[in-house]
Amino acid sequence: MSNNAPVGVFDSGVGGLSVLGEINRLLPQETLLYVADSGHVPYGEKSAEYIRERSRKIASFLVEQGAKALVLACNTATAAAVADLRSLYDMPVVGMEPAVKPAALATRTGVVGVLATTGTLQSARFAALLDRFAGAVRVVTQPCPGLVECVERGELQGQHVEQLLRSYTDPLLEAGCDTLILGCTHYPFLRAQLMTILPSGITLVDTGAAVARQLRARLSEAELLADGASQGPRFWSTAAPKSLEDVLRVLWGRNETVRALSV
Ligand code: DGL
């Protein structure tokens, strides 16, 4: 495996771009491939079996493109499929989980809220994460149907998003949370709108930067860190490429060409 082979990154849609940005900042020499499974979004309300099947198909495509490592830039896909992909591929496979550990360390009220998809919150991996890291901290969970669809449309602000965010954060604030975990990779794109509705003193935590550091550690261990210049990112979508191109301009801040992928 060549050091300058690309890293394959995927998500149910555009949410993983929040992670891709962190990877690109920390590891600018890496060539990144990104698949948005926007033809099958949202994963959050679908069965673990379905998400495993989707993840297998996308991972297989990325490996065919020459990927030296895989990143599941999706909490929901990680909960359902990371163990399966690790059993299939002998390469670094990096997943992600809601940031319970840093949130438990950061809270002063001793109450932490988790905004995530139903799939993530109902998973055995999430239960194990709480057992391991919540300690004496009370963790209040909140599934957020509808938010992912807003981000997929590039709708990051406005009355509809604000109403949804209020309906999901109000119960957490009432429960005494001072720290909110953004446990889905789509949600960091709603940070600006969230900040306008949350009282001051509320901390928001997400995992994108930690995933980038974990990828660097895993590539370094495997002696696979790129030693040449990046060839620039490449994007695929399982929905209409034009829609992703439009949303990329907003979320990624650049004009990129997107190819259609049917897997
Ligand atoms: N972005 C995904 C996550 O991190 C899931 C969104 C969805 O498709 O429901 O959980």
Side-chain angles (χ1 to χ4, degrees), residues 17-253:
L17 295 169
S18 63
V19 179
L20 197 76
E22 298 290 351
I23 296 174
N24 195 41
R25 249 187 298 285
L26 188 71
L27 300 168
Q29 73 283 14
E30 298 295 337
T31 297
L32 305 175
L33 312 179
Y34 185 87
V35 172
D37 197 13
S38 295
H40 303 88
V41 72
Y43 280 1
E45 313 294 317
K46 303 209 169 81
S47 73
E49 204 171 40
Y50 179 87
I51 298 165
R52 259 194 302 279
E53 196 52 40
R54 293 302 310 150
S55 299
R56 274 191 184 212
K57 288 188 172 148
I58 295 165
S60 154
F61 168 75
L62 288 166
V63 170
E64 273 166 32
Q65 300 303 306
K68 63 181 175 185
L70 295 171
V71 178
L72 287 75
C74 177
N75 296 265
T76 315
T78 299
V82 76
D84 184 52
L85 295 185
R86 284 187 179 137
S87 74
L88 289 173
Y89 296 107
D90 183 20
M91 62 171 67
V93 177
V94 175
M96 63 189 296
E97 288 166 332
V100 172
K101 188 181 174 187
L105 292 171
T107 178
R108 290 171 312 269
T109 58
V111 192
V112 160
V114 188
L115 300 160
T117 67
T118 307
T120 296
L121 297 175
Q122 287 179 348
S123 69
R125 278 186 81 89
F126 183 68
L129 189 70
L130 292 188
D131 280 348
R132 199 152 160 230
F133 296 118
V137 165
R138 188 168 151 236
V139 178
V140 187
T141 59
Q142 177 63 58
C144 308
L147 286 185
V148 163
E149 289 87 336
C150 291
V151 178
E152 286 292 311
R153 289 193 293 271
E155 185 185 339
L156 309 182
Q157 277 172 332
Q159 211 185 344
H160 176 59
V161 177
E162 186 182 328
Q163 259 167 15
L164 275 178
L165 287 173
R166 277 192 199 280
S167 71
Y168 296 141
T169 54
D170 280 353
L172 300 178
L173 297 176
E174 276 157 31
C177 299
D178 66 344
T179 307
L180 302 184
I181 300 173
L182 304 180
C184 166
T185 55
H186 284 71
Y187 304 166
F189 291 116
L190 301 172
R191 207 177 247 271
Q193 177 73 79
L194 261 173
M195 297 306 279
T196 68
I197 63 165
L198 292 174
S200 61
I202 301 290
T203 307
L204 297 176
V205 288
D206 77 81
T207 337
V211 172
R213 289 195 296 274
Q214 176 67 4
L215 174 64
R216 181 175 61 183
R218 299 296 315 280
L219 289 177
S220 169
E221 265 163 40
E223 298 186 358
L224 280 173
L225 281 167
D227 51 19
S230 167
Q231 290 161 42
R234 272 179 281 159
F235 296 90
W236 287 264
S237 173
T238 58
K242 169 84 173 63
S243 317
L244 180 55
E245 285 175 359
D246 291 344
V247 179
L248 272 171
R249 239 168 268 132
V250 180
L251 303 185
W252 184 248

